[in-house]
Tab-separated table of all heavy atoms in Angstrom:
chain	number	residue	atom	x	y	z
I	122	LEU	N	41.346	5.262	-23.642
I	122	LEU	CA	40.013	5.855	-23.722
I	122	LEU	C	39.618	6.530	-22.409
I	122	LEU	O	38.691	7.341	-22.381
I	122	LEU	CB	38.974	4.792	-24.085
I	122	LEU	CG	39.079	4.169	-25.477
I	122	LEU	CD1	37.988	3.121	-25.662
I	122	LEU	CD2	39.008	5.224	-26.572
I	126	ASP	N	36.491	12.061	-23.544
I	126	ASP	CA	35.091	12.203	-23.127
I	126	ASP	C	34.153	11.475	-24.076
I	126	ASP	O	33.061	11.070	-23.683
I	126	ASP	CB	34.723	13.685	-23.070
I	126	ASP	CG	35.574	14.439	-22.078
I	126	ASP	OD1	35.298	14.331	-20.870
I	126	ASP	OD2	36.533	15.116	-22.500
I	164	ALA	N	32.165	-2.137	-23.076
I	164	ALA	CA	31.975	-2.727	-21.751
I	164	ALA	C	32.851	-2.047	-20.710
I	164	ALA	O	32.432	-1.841	-19.561
I	164	ALA	CB	32.288	-4.218	-21.797
I	191	ALA	N	22.363	-5.413	-36.491
I	191	ALA	CA	21.594	-5.467	-35.249
I	191	ALA	C	22.166	-6.502	-34.286
I	191	ALA	O	22.284	-6.239	-33.072
I	191	ALA	CB	20.128	-5.779	-35.549
I	278	ILE	N	32.917	26.349	-43.544
I	278	ILE	CA	33.803	27.479	-43.287
I	278	ILE	C	33.121	28.494	-42.369
I	278	ILE	O	33.713	28.994	-41.405
I	278	ILE	CB	34.214	28.152	-44.613
I	278	ILE	CG1	35.004	27.174	-45.484
I	278	ILE	CG2	35.037	29.412	-44.355
I	278	ILE	CD1	35.162	27.626	-46.926
Side-chain angles (χ1 to χ4, degrees):
L122 294 179
D126 299 282
I278 297 166

